[in-house]
Amino acid sequence: MAAAAMAHEKVWQDKSTMNAAEKTYYEYMAKINSVPSQCTLASEISKARQHIKNSLERMDGIAALAASPGAELLDRLSSVEKENEKLRSIIDGLNNLVIDLHERVRTLESGKPAAAKPAAAAAPKPAAPAKKVEAEDDDDDDVDLFGSEDEDEDKAAAELREKRLAEYAAKKSKKPALIAKSNVILDIKPWDDETDMKVMEQEVRKISADGLLLGAAKLVPLAYGIHKLQMSCVIEDDKISVDWLQEEIEKIEDYVQSVDIAAFNKI
């Protein structure tokens, strides 16, 4: 059936016509393919030129924008410099005023006349004739008014200082000296469970000395029915030593086997 169908096609009968048509087709396709490449190259060149032109315009705009703020910035800097100079002059004036006030306050606190200044030095001059007349009337040319006042003030200040030092020394001498004391807890161990603990405590409390104060006592279980006597006491460190107290208690040989220190604290 396919062969029968192909038999009716005229294209197989004229081979030359087929070849010419095929050649014409390929030439047409070649022309079509060549035209876009030329158009694409021209368009790319046009785009590049437009891009360069846009870049140059932008650079000109940036330069123009940069020029105008620079002038404004210079104006602002010049105005700031002027204001800074004005502020410096004001600060210098205030500084001089504070120094002057400080000198006046120090002069008033010291009780002495102000330091020699052009304005201050000119004030006492009119009083010179009166002083001269007074000197002629009293026949005394060596009067030093300010010097005598300063000497009196120095003497009064020295006397006041000596008086206060003496009062402080007297108060310090009356203050009682601090006595160093210690709180000691002793563990007094008997020989065995048959030791009379009440009698042992009575014998221990017979120990007395200056600087020794025996306190409360209690029985503490030790082992196998044996109890130890735990006694607290307060001693003055300068008068009583713990070693001496241990030796005195261990002298009670009939009741005491040994003495240990359970606690030792400074008061």
Side-chain angles (χ1 to χ4, degrees):
M1 293 178 65
M6 293 293 290
H8 294 286
E9 292 292 335
K10 295 181 179 181
V11 78
W12 297 103
Q13 297 175 1
D14 193 356
K15 179 66 175 175
S16 61
T17 304
M18 182 62 186
N19 291 333
E22 186 177 0
K23 181 180 179 181
T24 304
Y25 173 74
Y26 282 115
E27 288 177 356
Y28 175 74
M29 293 299 296
K31 290 179 180 181
I32 293 175
N33 292 332
S34 62
V35 170
S37 62
Q38 294 176 357
C39 295
T40 303
L41 180 59
S43 63
E44 290 295 330
I45 293 171
S46 177
K47 289 180 180 179
R49 289 177 179 176
Q50 187 64 31
H51 181 69
I52 293 170
K53 183 178 180 182
N54 294 336
S55 299
L56 292 174
E57 290 178 353
R58 290 178 182 175
M59 291 298 295
D60 293 339
I62 292 171
L65 291 174
S68 58
E72 185 179 357
L73 182 61
L74 291 175
D75 294 338
R76 290 184 180 180
L77 286 175
S78 61
S79 62
V80 169
E81 289 180 354
K82 291 179 181 179
E83 292 178 359
N84 191 15
E85 290 178 358
K86 291 181 181 179
L87 289 175
R88 283 183 180 176
S89 61
I90 293 172
I91 290 172
D92 292 338
L94 291 175
N95 190 17
N96 295 331
L97 181 60
V98 169
I99 294 173
D100 190 12
L101 291 175
H102 180 69
E103 292 294 333
R104 291 182 182 180
V105 171
R106 187 172 63 180
T107 302
L108 292 174
E109 289 179 352
S110 62
K112 295 181 180 180
K117 290 185 178 181
K125 287 184 179 179
K131 184 177 180 182
K132 185 176 180 181
V133 172
E134 185 179 357
E136 291 177 355
D137 294 339
D138 298 336
D139 294 331
D140 188 4
D141 294 334
D142 298 329
V143 177
D144 188 4
L145 299 176
F146 294 106
S148 60
E149 290 180 359
D150 293 341
E151 292 177 358
D152 294 339
E153 290 179 358
D154 293 340
K155 290 180 180 179
E159 292 176 357
L160 181 60
R161 183 172 60 254
E162 294 295 334
K163 182 179 179 181
R164 289 181 178 177
L165 289 174
E167 292 176 356
Y168 176 75
K171 186 184 294 185
K172 188 174 181 181
S173 62
K174 293 179 181 179
K175 187 176 181 179
L178 183 63
I179 300 175
K181 296 182 180 180
S182 300
N183 183 16
V184 184
I185 298 177
L186 301 173
D187 285 341
I188 305 172
K189 298 177 183 178
W191 288 103
D192 50 29
D193 58 345
E194 296 180 357
T195 303
D196 192 345
M197 303 300 292
K198 292 184 178 179
V199 176
M200 185 175 71
E201 180 180 353
Q202 292 175 359
E203 293 294 326
V204 172
R205 290 189 180 278
K206 290 180 181 179
I207 300 173
S208 62
D210 186 17
L212 173 63
L213 177 62
L214 297 176
K218 63 178 180 179
L219 295 178
V220 178
L222 189 59
Y224 304 104
I226 300 174
H227 291 74
K228 63 181 178 180
L229 180 66
Q230 193 172 79
M231 179 178 291
S232 64
C233 60
V234 177
I235 61 174
E236 294 183 13
D237 297 339
D238 294 337
K239 297 179 180 179
I240 302 297
S241 67
V242 180
D243 295 336
W244 176 85
L245 183 58
Q246 284 181 293
E247 292 174 358
E248 290 296 319
I249 295 174
E250 288 176 352
K251 286 180 181 179
I252 309 173
E253 298 178 352
D254 295 338
Y255 298 96
V256 178
Q257 176 190 3
S258 63
V259 180
D260 297 327
I261 300 173
F264 185 91
N265 298 312
K266 291 288 184 179
I267 300 177

